[in-house]
Amino acid sequence: MPQLIELCELIVDCEHKTAPTQDTGYPSIRTPNIGKGRLILDGVNRVSAETYKAWTQRQVPKPGDLILAREAPIGNVAIITPGLEVCLGQRTVLIRTNRKKLNPQYLTYLMLGDEIQGKILSMSNGATVHHLNMKDIRELEMPPIPGLAVQDRIASILSAYDDLNENNTRRIKILEDMAQMLYREWFVNFRFPGHQKVRMVESELGPIPEGWPVVGFDDISDILSGGTPKTTETAYWNGPIPFFGPTDAPDSYYVVSTTKSITELGLSKCSSKLYPAETVFITARGTVGKVALPACNMAMNQSCYALRGKTGINQLTLFLITKDCARQLKQKSHGAVFDTITVETFQKLRVLRPPDNLLFELETKIRPIFGLVLNLLRRNATLRTTRD
């Protein structure tokens, strides 16, 4: 069986130092930016032209090159698309195929498959964090490779699924921005229907519409806890109940699946309840302030809180309020070992309580938007399953 290096023009390691970043410039691809087949550029670090030149001395990444993650998420690999100029961040590897032997898109899907992922995991080492050595990457044994015509056909079919997925993801982002902008227009900028007839008055939060009270966050929402059943009890795990944790927090609004699940017995043995769909989940320990809406009934672990709106506060608007408050909650978090949001953090947070009629009217406008987002997320899940 051929080794990977035999099918490639080059396999190049990254610079082993952190690139200085700035607000604009060339994307610096770190391991979190390497998805399964596609680069994730939301929130990517950016570098100057000078840094880009210094960080591409070994090789300038080109469209069609692959970038492999040497550490968490180990084994993820993504292809550089046309028109994109990037440099390598730490713990990444650049792979350029020999186009006479290997279609780069075909190699991307091959390396993401179970066979190669299993080999990568078995080769990785490290007491705390798994990582790959350059020698092992170059000598990675590949299965028999079909001819280029077959490779091209396979790559074309699979990439069509990813193109649809990417298009849906762009539509999701537009819809989510629409919902958040509408919320902010009404309840932050105070340009709600009929605002011309409402007088502004001073408050602890600054000028606000007259008659809108400033309250504690716990006055608009119940703050509920999670819990984890014993991990050593196999009867508690791998059941029908999705079990949400911070690693399941999605980039989108809805969480449609979780990495872990528990049984009815497991649920009865922990302090979490089975929370209904559209309960607001927020991560509260370590990685704090990520907000999600479960698309179905879910339990959750002790590193999160569940939020249920009190009388007059619908769940979709509560979700947007919570997202808008996430930065303040993160700033108020504390902890000796890692950041933590507590119930007291919520209680100290002061928010505006809009009138019930406006809350209801906003929900009627944003619910169809949220429905489209959820529909597109489920389509993407189906596309990924079909592709795989």
Side-chain angles (χ1 to χ4, degrees):
M1 291 189 292
Q3 294 180 344
L4 181 60
I5 190 62
E6 297 170 15
L7 303 169
C8 295
E9 289 185 8
L10 56 88
I11 299 176
V12 177
D13 198 6
C14 62
E15 295 287 336
H16 292 278
K17 53 187 176 181
T18 302
T21 61
Q22 58 183 38
D23 291 338
T24 60
Y26 295 87
S28 174
I29 304 301
R30 302 171 300 138
T31 55
N33 304 119
I34 304 173
K36 293 187 179 296
R38 302 295 171 104
L39 293 174
I40 303 167
L41 299 181
D42 288 344
V44 68
N45 284 352
R46 294 188 177 272
V47 300
S48 66
E50 181 181 1
T51 301
Y52 173 81
K53 184 177 179 180
W55 257 251
T56 56
Q57 287 185 52
R58 298 184 183 183
Q59 194 61 231
V60 177
K62 297 180 179 179
D65 289 351
L66 279 60
I67 302 179
L68 172 70
R70 290 180 61 184
E71 287 186 14
I74 189 170
N76 270 12
V77 62
I79 195 165
I80 301 174
T81 53
L84 189 61
E85 293 181 285
V86 304
C87 63
L88 299 186
Q90 288 197 71
R91 297 177 287 278
T92 62
V93 177
L94 187 73
I95 300 173
R96 182 173 299 159
T97 66
N98 181 337
R99 297 293 182 93
K100 294 180 181 179
K101 297 180 180 180
L102 192 57
N103 180 309
Q105 284 189 321
Y106 177 84
L107 177 60
T108 301
Y109 294 115
L110 183 62
M111 292 188 71
L112 290 171
D114 291 343
E115 180 180 356
I116 301 301
Q117 287 292 304
K119 289 182 179 180
I120 286 173
L121 188 61
S122 67
M123 290 189 309
S124 65
N125 56 73
T128 55
V129 179
H130 289 283
H131 66 272
L132 289 170
N133 295 320
M134 288 299 297
K135 180 177 182 292
D136 289 334
I137 295 171
R138 293 189 175 104
E139 295 177 357
L140 178 63
E141 286 192 347
M142 308 302 288
I145 303 297
L148 280 173
V150 175
Q151 291 180 42
D152 293 345
R153 179 63 176 156
I154 291 171
S156 175
I157 292 170
L158 296 181
S159 63
Y161 284 100
D162 280 339
D163 289 341
L164 284 171
N165 194 305
E166 205 164 83
N167 184 54
N168 286 343
T169 300
R170 285 194 292 268
R171 292 172 64 192
I172 288 167
K173 182 67 168 61
I174 291 170
L175 289 166
E176 291 177 342
D177 286 347
M178 285 172 56
Q180 197 73 35
M181 287 172 62
L182 186 59
Y183 162 80
R184 291 190 64 83
E185 183 74 358
W186 284 27
F187 296 155
V188 177
N189 300 325
F190 304 126
R191 290 192 284 266
F192 51 86
H195 70 91
Q196 303 91 338
K197 300 177 182 179
V198 178
R199 189 166 70 94
M200 301 295 287
V201 297
E202 285 297 326
S203 78
E204 61 188 278
L205 299 179
I208 63 172
E210 187 175 29
W212 293 27
V214 176
V215 299
F217 192 93
D218 59 325
D219 290 316
I220 66 168
S221 174
D222 290 321
I223 303 159
L224 308 166
S225 300
T228 302
K230 287 184 178 179
T231 56
T232 54
E233 293 288 344
T234 56
Y236 297 166
W237 295 93
N238 300 317
I241 301 171
F243 189 69
F244 179 86
T247 57
D248 297 309
D251 294 324
S252 183
Y253 282 6
Y254 282 97
V255 54
V256 295
S257 62
T258 57
T259 54
K260 295 180 180 179
S261 62
I262 58 175
T263 62
E264 292 281 355
L265 181 60
L267 181 64
S268 70
K269 297 297 183 180
C270 72
S271 55
S272 177
K273 297 178 181 177
L274 181 59
Y275 293 108
E278 295 188 351
T279 297
V280 178
F281 286 171
I282 181 168
T283 59
R285 298 181 68 191
T287 302
V288 303
K290 288 192 172 184
V291 188
L293 276 177
C296 60
N297 296 348
M298 290 185 186
M300 64 173 190
N301 74 16
Q302 68 276 9
S303 296
C304 310
Y305 286 109
L307 308 177
R308 296 292 302 176
K310 294 188 175 180
T311 303
I313 307 290
N314 63 78
Q315 288 303 117
L316 298 188
T317 304
L318 178 62
F319 172 81
L320 294 175
I321 293 172
T322 307
K323 280 194 71 73
D324 202 53
C325 292
R327 180 178 294 180
Q328 294 181 65
L329 288 166
K330 290 172 71 173
Q331 290 172 345
K332 294 176 184 293
S333 64
H334 62 278
V337 180
F338 42 73
D339 289 340
T340 304
I341 296 174
T342 65
V343 172
E344 187 180 11
T345 313
F346 287 102
Q347 292 170 340
K348 289 181 177 180
L349 181 63
R350 304 293 285 171
V351 295
L352 203 55
R353 178 35 165 108
D356 286 358
N357 65 310
L358 286 178
L359 290 168
F360 176 78
E361 189 174 348
L362 180 67
E363 198 227 4
T364 61
K365 292 184 178 297
I366 62 176
R367 181 158 290 282
I369 298 174
F370 276 71
L372 288 170
V373 167
L374 183 54
N375 185 38
L376 288 169
L377 285 170
R378 285 173 169 159
R379 284 189 197 179
N380 276 359
T382 301
L383 285 169
R384 287 192 294 271
T385 299
T386 307
R387 177 203 62 195
D388 293 345

